[in-house]
Amino acid sequence: MLNSRAALTAAFALAITAGCTTTNPDYSKTNLQDTELTAPYKTPPDEWLHSRRMAGSHVSLRQIRDTNSHIRDMRDISRQRIELARKTSRNSKVTGVWEFNGPIEIGGRILDIAIDPVLADTIYVASASGGVWKSTDAGSTYTSIWPDDSAQSIGSVAITSDGSKLYAGTGETGPGGGSFTYGNKGLFVTSDGGATWTSLGLEATERISRVAIDPNNESRIFVAASGSLYTPSSERGVYRSIDGGATWELVLPGENLTSGASDIWIDPTNPNRLYASMWQHVREPARRLYGGVGSGIYRSDDGGDTWSRLGPANGLPAASDDTGRIGIALAPSNPQRLYAIYNDTVGFFDGFYTSIDGGDSWTLQPPNPLLSSSQSSFGWWFARIFVDPLVETRVFVAGVSLMESVSAGLGWTQATGVHADQHAMAWDANVSGRVYLGNDGGMYRSDTNGVAGSWIFGTSQPWTQFYTLDVGEQDPTRVVGGAQDNGCNRSYAATGNGWNSYGCGDGLETLINPVDQQIVFGCSQYGSCRRSTDGGETTSSIGSTTSQRRNWLTPLVFDPNDPTIMYYAGNIVNRSVSGGAGGWAAISPELTDGDPFPGSDEPYPFGTITTVAPAASNGYTLYVGTDDAKLWYTHDLGANWTQSSDPDLPDRWVSRIVVDPTDADVAYATYSGFRNGDNTPYV
């Protein structure tokens, strides 16, 4: 059984190597003068190869020609390896048919909701990493209407007043805390309820947070684009189309290259008046910068041609380096009444404001412990406000819990009976009192206008976002997986049917012992791990380990030679010889360069180990990778560690290492440049 796991690991390494082919120009044919050339800021693979072999930031034609010869040689070798991989793959091709294996009852993160104004009980929802889903039974069950091979992260949906067109904006604006979120491929539209979709462009925006349609002219569409999370760009802000999405104009660009639009509203009584919130934010490989002077509220009175920033003269905060994400909303029954929630750069609540004159003047509402507490302390994840369409003073704020005020923000109560982390809320205009709620747990419906305790959870929501999974080697029908904000889950249980949870907060690493399937592990974020000896019915802590910092997805692995030996790594590698039941001993020193920003307010721990790979053929050999591009190995079980000094290894996050099951000196490492805004595959 252990050999089958090792063989699968080796097959994974071979398959991923074969899949990472690229096509690049032949620089030997480029017509260049024999002068100095400035190296590009963002480089494709060939240019990266140049930069690794040339000193400084300038290169000559002679250097390019010399390097081209090396590139051609390497390509020949690469082609031979790829052809061998393809032949091997053909000879061992899996012929089975993929089938859905669940779960359907757990749910997962929903970012937006659109209610069909014509078809009864029909709604559309945007899932964080599962496309667009449709329900025709008032939110009880859902069917995917999104192409499997298209962008899967959907940030927003909007439908025309006659239900003839549904728009889907791809990419998720909320950037996550320890985890990250995905950008995607622009705006799409369907005119047949999701049977077919057409791209409307805006691919370079990466993340579309909201879509707003002029109720008087449905060819006039506004898109709030927050832009790339990892690289500065000019393709962010508010876009306008006056021809149904055929062409677009950036009518409100950000104040700088990291400021984009996170919210937009159209006054239904005066569609020439618009409101937008802009948000300056960028995530560096080892730091989050979720705010800045580019964050603010803007208003247009001429249909988006010109915009003015609302600030201290209107009663709102001045531009500040400490201003984070801002949420805004207007009351549908009285668009002169507006609400705004401010958060600081770290994500803490920083004020709730109201206006009763269309934004000319704003009032800061009195502090309230329910808003200023941890219930709304992750502003970059929420920053949304929802107003009862019939009662202008009844307002909801998204937070860990759903917060409700019936006094326009003067007092607050906490909604109960729903999953944590709220993102979307929408009222059904055709059914009195019906309202839908989307959060990290999925979709809920209330038929009594959202009264606490009245929320009904959908029965079939098959879009759970998994970080990890493991399959039992004794019984392959046993599957465990760690889900975003939905715990550690298993496909089996002593009682009940379907999938159920066996603990965890955010479910991260999950494991089944390969020789005793009753022993399972489940870890929450930052390496809080528990162990079960009865298949997950009961759990206990794995005990104390040594590390100062731990990754969001902390490595926990079995030794492939002996599952009673396990490894756990924060910034130091720990080893257990009791099957993970305790007795962890540190077997390495600090293997990173440490906290890159000691003493800062950065809440996420960087300088961590990201992958640990024990060798199956030699119990004394381990390989380790880190989030700051370090690759280490030991051949004496940690008595001595050596860092690879190969200058050609990329300066990127080490995402995975696997070891040849028959030769401990052969290993494969994959690197991710995602957090650098780099989509190059590195193997």
Side-chain angles (χ1 to χ4, degrees):
M1 291 297 181
L2 292 180
N3 288 336
S4 68
R5 179 183 291 264
L8 182 62
T9 299
F12 160 78
L14 185 62
I16 196 170
T17 305
C20 290
T21 59
T22 57
T23 301
N24 292 296
D26 186 347
Y27 288 98
S28 64
K29 297 179 181 178
T30 305
N31 182 19
L32 299 173
Q33 301 296 319
D34 195 3
T35 57
E36 290 189 339
L37 303 172
T38 302
Y41 175 72
K42 294 180 69 177
T43 60
D46 286 0
E47 294 168 359
W48 172 84
L49 189 61
H50 286 181
S51 68
R52 299 295 296 197
R53 286 169 168 76
M54 301 171 188
S57 61
H58 296 83
V59 298
S60 68
L61 180 59
R62 181 183 300 278
Q63 288 174 303
I64 291 177
R65 285 169 177 163
D66 291 344
T67 308
N68 281 333
S69 176
H70 179 78
I71 290 173
R72 286 192 293 271
D73 291 343
M74 293 301 292
R75 282 177 177 167
D76 289 341
I77 296 171
S78 178
R79 290 189 187 101
Q80 295 171 19
R81 290 175 174 170
I82 291 167
E83 182 58 29
L84 175 61
R86 286 172 175 163
K87 289 179 179 178
T88 304
S89 177
R90 285 194 293 267
N91 292 338
S92 60
K93 185 179 294 183
V94 176
T95 57
V97 177
W98 288 95
E99 296 179 357
F100 181 71
N101 199 41
I104 65 171
E105 61 277 336
I106 294 172
R109 191 161 78 256
I110 290 297
L111 299 175
D112 207 1
I113 304 167
I115 300 175
D116 195 305
V118 177
L119 299 176
D121 299 334
T122 300
I123 65 172
Y124 304 89
V125 299
S127 65
S129 63
V132 181
W133 295 75
K134 179 179 183 179
S135 173
T136 58
D137 56 9
S140 180
T141 62
Y142 293 84
T143 302
S144 175
I145 58 170
W146 193 249
D148 290 340
D149 59 352
S150 187
Q152 294 302 308
S153 178
I154 311 296
S156 55
V157 286
I159 195 166
T160 54
S161 59
D162 61 0
S164 62
K165 291 183 179 180
L166 174 72
Y167 296 89
T170 66
E172 180 175 0
T173 289
S179 58
F180 55 79
T181 56
Y182 295 98
N184 259 309
K185 299 180 179 179
L187 184 69
F188 293 79
V189 65
T190 178
S191 299
D192 52 19
T196 59
W197 291 86
T198 301
S199 171
L200 296 178
L202 299 179
E203 293 91 344
T205 62
E206 287 209 22
R207 288 168 163 83
I208 293 177
S209 56
R210 299 288 171 262
V211 178
I213 306 167
D214 185 337
N216 295 342
N217 178 5
E218 293 180 348
S219 294
R220 192 163 167 262
I221 308 165
F222 293 86
V223 165
S226 55
S228 170
L229 176 57
Y230 297 98
T231 56
S233 67
S234 58
E235 292 87 2
R236 60 186 81 210
V238 175
Y239 285 82
R240 179 183 63 188
S241 175
I242 58 174
D243 52 16
T247 60
W248 295 93
E249 178 185 5
L250 180 60
V251 293
L252 178 60
E255 292 195 8
N256 50 56
L257 294 181
T258 58
S259 298
S262 58
D263 217 344
I264 187 166
W265 287 85
I266 299 176
D267 184 335
T269 62
N270 176 17
N272 280 326
R273 171 164 282 194
L274 301 101
Y275 303 88
S277 64
M278 302 293 284
W279 181 24
Q280 179 177 339
H281 65 294
V282 66
R283 186 163 180 167
E284 298 175 349
R287 195 175 191 180
R288 304 182 316 186
L289 301 170
Y290 288 174
V293 296
S295 301
I297 295 178
Y298 291 75
R299 184 178 67 187
S300 173
D301 289 317
D302 54 13
D305 289 337
T306 61
W307 296 79
S308 59
R309 179 167 180 153
L310 306 181
N314 310 99
L316 290 175
S320 167
D321 288 334
D322 195 43
T323 302
R325 188 175 179 180
I326 303 167
I328 59 172
L330 56 79
S333 61
N334 177 14
Q336 289 294 102
R337 180 179 287 278
L338 301 169
Y339 298 95
I341 186 169
Y342 276 67
N343 300 279
D344 66 16
T345 302
V346 177
F348 291 116
F349 170 76
D350 203 26
F352 187 81
Y353 295 81
T354 63
S355 173
I356 58 173
D357 54 14
D360 289 338
S361 61
W362 295 78
T363 301
L364 174 63
Q365 298 300 83
N368 186 282
L370 284 179
L371 279 187
S372 59
S373 71
S374 62
Q375 291 301 320
S376 55
S377 62
F378 312 106
W380 31 262
W381 199 233
F382 309 121
R384 294 215 59 189
I385 301 172
F386 315 102
V387 186
D388 188 313
L390 301 179
V391 183
E392 64 182 80
T393 57
R394 186 170 183 244
V395 57
F396 295 82
V397 165
V400 176
S401 296
L402 183 66
M403 314 305 297
E404 178 185 2
S405 174
V406 294
S407 56
L410 290 176
W412 295 89
T413 58
Q414 181 176 323
T416 58
V418 296
H419 193 280
D421 295 355
Q422 318 307 312
H423 299 286
M425 196 172 182
W427 278 261
D428 189 337
N430 298 316
V431 182
S432 177
R434 176 171 290 176
V435 58
Y436 295 92
L437 178 68
N439 53 37
D440 276 15
M443 283 296 297
Y444 292 79
R445 187 190 80 229
S446 169
D447 291 323
T448 55
N449 210 20
V451 172
S454 67
W455 295 101
I456 303 167
F457 189 61
T459 59
S460 177
Q461 305 186 48
W463 53 69
T464 308
Q465 185 181 39
F466 280 96
Y467 287 113
T468 63
L469 65 84
D470 197 14
V471 180
E473 296 200 16
Q474 294 172 290
D475 178 2
T477 66
R478 286 191 168 225
V479 180
V480 295
Q484 186 275 322
D485 210 24
N486 282 275
C488 298
N489 300 278
R490 54 185 181 166
S491 63
Y492 59 93
T495 59
N497 298 311
W499 288 67
N500 71 343
S501 172
Y502 63 95
C504 308
D506 277 279
L508 275 302
E509 190 61 81
T510 51
L511 297 173
I512 301 175
N513 186 296
V515 298
D516 183 353
Q517 65 186 17
Q518 289 297 97
I519 300 176
V520 298
F521 292 82
C523 300
S524 297
Q525 59 270 41
Y526 305 120
S528 177
C529 299
R530 299 183 68 82
R531 179 178 186 267
S532 173
T533 58
D534 54 13
E537 293 297 308
T538 61
T539 64
S540 59
S541 171
I542 65 169
S544 298
T545 59
T546 301
S547 279
Q548 289 73 50
R549 299 173 306 281
R550 295 167 176 82
N551 194 268
W552 178 263
L553 202 170
T554 299
L556 175 70
V557 299
F558 290 109
D559 188 316
N561 306 280
D562 180 358
T564 64
I565 298 173
M566 297 190 73
Y567 296 95
Y568 173 102
N571 60 313
I572 293 171
V573 180
N574 291 252
R575 184 173 186 260
S576 168
V577 295
S578 63
W584 295 90
I587 63 166
S588 83
E590 162 77 71
L591 293 181
T592 78
D593 282 340
D595 185 351
F597 299 102
S600 75
D601 58 5
E602 171 57 64
Y604 177 69
F606 293 97
T608 63
I609 293 169
T610 53
T611 180
V612 176
S617 62
N618 183 340
Y620 290 88
T621 294
L622 285 88
Y623 294 83
V624 170
T626 72
D627 62 10
D628 55 2
K630 305 289 189 296
L631 196 156
W632 296 85
Y633 55 91
T634 177
H635 295 303
D636 52 18
L637 206 56
N640 296 280
W641 289 87
T642 302
Q643 182 184 345
S644 176
S645 58
D646 188 338
D648 289 335
L649 290 177
D651 185 19
R652 295 290 185 261
W653 180 296
V654 186
S655 52
R656 187 61 59 88
I657 302 173
V658 294
V659 188
D660 187 307
T662 61
D663 188 344
D665 288 336
V666 177
Y668 300 85
T670 59
Y671 290 75
S672 170
F674 185 79
R675 295 162 181 80
N676 301 75
D678 173 11
N679 292 325
T680 305
Y682 297 102
V683 182

